[in-house]
Amino acid sequence: MTGNICLYKAIIAWKRQRKFAHLYFGQAHEAAYWDYPDLEIPRLLRQLVSNPQDWSPLLDSYMARILSRLAYATPDHASALSTNAWRLLINISPGGRISNVIPGIMKLPRVIAWWRDDEDDRQAKEEKLYKTIQGDVYRQYVSGVAPPSFTRAYFENKHKLGFPTDLEAAFNVSMPAMAGIHTTSSPLHTFFLAMTLYPQWLLKLQKEIEAVCGDRPPQINDMPALPLLRAAIKECIRWRPTIPTGIPHTLEADIIYDGYFFPKGSWLHPLEWSLSRDPDIYPEPDTYNPGRWLDPKYPTYKEPLTKFPTLHGHHQFGFGRRICQGINVAETQTFCVIGGVAWAFNIARPKDRSGIDAEVPHYNYHGLVITKPISFQFTLQVRSDEKQKQIERLYEKAIAKESDHGKEAA
């Protein structure tokens, strides 16, 4: 009986949290993410012009700033979210802590199992961070000056959401924001590797973007007109899955699948790396080929191309009721960043002293649950002086727009 009560409470909490996440993700998507990408994309492009060697942390920073804005209407908490996300990623990954490979050593005294203290410290700082930010937004909300955000949505709908505590709601907002940083920056990193190894696709992307967008980077409302850009993004996620191990699921009932019996409580682990390399679905699976989503000769082709390819329905984002609720954030933000980079920059292999293209590893990713390529050599150059001037104009426009938003809030 006790077990059934605990399970019932867990299901009720899960439904409550999913309902709220559906609400705030939906509001943000309908509002084009409150134009926050228009503020952050020019900043990112300008930073890449000035500091191309910092491309990797700049991609992480972009996602942290976007998610901080969405969750709390300010980028000020991006650094804290990033730090917490990286610490959590290390602590839950088999490649991060030995206790994730040999669970029994968790019983060792804390003086030896020092990582237990590290995780306790992370959790304490995490809770303090989320409570503090929620309190800041609440004070803005009661004063009538809170810009739209996930947290404001909580206070606007608190009476009908049924959260027993504000703290649960704070985690319900902040955990998806934190989780989205590296899961979304992973395919952004992969794009740079793919364009270094398969430069012909960058040229094709640039032609498509220029034909549709002209002298500006792609925006969310351009998505239907840019099928190759969407294909390039989806192929990044297929070619180098963000979470190659997939996410395990626990069976709620006995099942028989393909002649095998799996009892209730079993863990089923859909292996994403294997799924993405099924040659019947993805011919030549180790080749980066966005054309597989656009050419009718491939089994992955779907029409209309104004809608497909899309990340919706892709196995990397889960199954059934457990599908990732942040999929629209992932799809729109990868579209804006990758579209902006392809519009503004050329990416190429570096040359060695003999003028020959340097070797770039096809697969050299770190071993954490959410993977990214380990640093590799490539050149990143703005495509023209005019493109650089356009980036500066976009940045100045974003600064002015942010200033106007600040005056309105005040």
Side-chain angles (χ1 to χ4, degrees):
M1 177 64 74
T2 301
N4 289 337
I5 293 174
C6 291
L7 178 60
Y8 174 76
K9 289 182 177 179
I11 292 172
I12 294 300
W14 177 78
K15 288 183 176 180
R16 176 172 64 238
Q17 293 162 13
R18 295 280 292 186
K19 179 181 178 180
F20 178 38
H22 179 76
L23 169 70
Y24 64 65
F25 277 128
Q27 286 183 348
H29 188 67
E30 288 296 320
Y33 301 94
W34 301 302
D35 295 331
Y36 291 145
D38 293 344
L39 303 178
E40 291 295 335
I41 288 293
R43 180 180 186 273
L44 171 63
L45 297 180
R46 187 171 185 264
Q47 289 177 320
L48 288 171
V49 170
S50 302
N51 301 289
Q53 72 281 1
D54 294 332
W55 65 278
S56 178
L58 289 176
L59 295 178
D60 291 343
S61 176
Y62 171 86
M63 281 313 308
R65 289 175 63 88
I66 280 288
L67 288 162
S68 179
R69 286 182 183 274
L70 291 175
Y72 321 116
T74 173
D76 293 349
H77 307 296
S79 179
L81 282 177
S82 289
T83 298
N84 188 41
W86 189 250
R87 291 183 70 186
L88 177 61
L89 183 58
I90 290 173
N91 287 350
I92 66 173
S93 296
R97 299 289 183 226
I98 192 173
S99 56
N100 295 323
V101 180
I102 311 173
I105 66 173
M106 286 295 289
K107 297 179 181 180
L108 293 173
R110 284 180 177 268
V111 67
I112 299 174
W114 55 268
W115 54 86
R116 294 170 60 187
D117 289 334
D118 180 76
E119 176 59 13
D120 288 346
D121 176 72
R122 187 201 66 78
Q123 291 183 21
K125 290 178 178 176
E126 176 181 65
E127 181 173 326
K128 181 180 179 180
L129 173 68
Y130 296 168
K131 289 169 70 174
T132 300
I133 299 172
Q134 187 188 61
D136 291 343
V137 176
Y138 177 71
R139 284 185 286 275
Q140 292 179 329
Y141 174 71
V142 296
S143 299
V145 297
S149 69
F150 298 167
T151 304
R152 192 183 85 172
Y154 167 63
F155 290 117
E156 290 174 334
N157 298 277
K158 181 177 178 179
H159 61 287
K160 58 185 179 183
L161 289 172
F163 281 94
T165 65
D166 288 341
L167 182 60
E168 182 183 330
F171 271 83
N172 203 166
V173 164
S174 298
M175 290 299 287
M178 179 188 67
I181 296 172
H182 295 294
T183 51
T184 310
S185 74
S186 172
L188 301 181
H189 282 69
T190 291
F191 174 77
F192 281 82
L193 177 62
M195 295 304 101
T196 303
L197 295 172
Y198 300 89
Q200 69 274 23
W201 288 108
L202 180 58
L203 295 174
K204 294 177 181 180
L205 271 176
Q206 290 169 341
K207 289 180 180 178
E208 180 186 71
I209 291 169
E210 288 177 355
V212 173
C213 303
D215 62 353
R216 62 170 176 81
Q219 298 172 332
I220 293 174
N221 58 8
D222 295 315
M223 291 183 75
L226 295 169
L228 178 56
L229 177 52
R230 286 181 278 114
I233 294 165
K234 190 166 186 176
E235 183 68 353
C236 283
I237 293 172
R238 183 212 64 83
W239 183 59
R240 295 291 183 263
T242 301
I243 305 176
T245 59
I247 303 295
H249 298 258
T250 302
L251 291 182
E252 296 178 346
D254 296 346
I255 66 167
I256 296 177
Y257 178 79
D258 199 22
Y260 292 90
F261 171 72
F262 296 92
K264 175 183 177 180
S266 299
W267 285 7
L268 292 188
H269 208 135
L271 187 59
E272 184 60 32
W273 184 262
S274 179
L275 290 171
S276 69
R277 265 139 186 80
D278 184 341
D280 293 333
I281 300 175
Y282 308 112
E284 298 182 349
D286 290 327
T287 299
Y288 177 85
N289 177 19
R292 71 176 75 249
W293 307 102
L294 304 172
D295 191 329
K297 73 179 183 182
Y298 289 99
T300 42
Y301 175 80
K302 288 185 179 181
E303 293 181 344
L305 291 180
T306 53
K307 178 180 179 181
F308 299 103
T310 174
L311 298 186
H312 286 267
H314 188 55
H315 40 78
Q316 178 72 95
F317 290 88
F319 311 89
R321 293 180 299 166
R322 296 288 184 174
I323 192 170
C324 173
Q325 288 186 286
I327 188 170
N328 284 326
V329 174
E331 186 161 53
T332 55
Q333 298 317 304
T334 51
F335 180 89
C336 290
V337 173
I338 290 175
V341 169
W343 171 81
F345 295 96
N346 288 322
I347 299 170
R349 292 193 192 205
K351 304 288 186 181
D352 63 21
R353 293 181 179 179
S354 303
I356 300 173
D357 287 344
E359 287 296 320
V360 175
H362 277 64
Y363 194 88
N364 187 25
Y365 281 53
H366 65 59
L368 301 180
V369 168
I370 301 170
T371 63
K372 294 178 188 175
I374 295 171
S375 183
F376 60 95
Q377 295 292 316
F378 67 96
T379 61
L380 181 68
Q381 293 182 326
V382 68
R383 295 174 63 195
S384 66
D385 291 341
E386 180 56 30
K387 277 284 191 290
Q388 187 164 344
K389 292 176 183 177
Q390 289 170 335
I391 291 170
E392 283 297 323
R393 289 194 290 269
L394 288 169
Y395 178 72
E396 290 169 3
K397 183 179 179 181
I399 292 297
K401 187 174 183 179
E402 180 113 66
S403 178
D404 290 341
H405 282 183
K407 292 175 183 178
E408 291 172 7

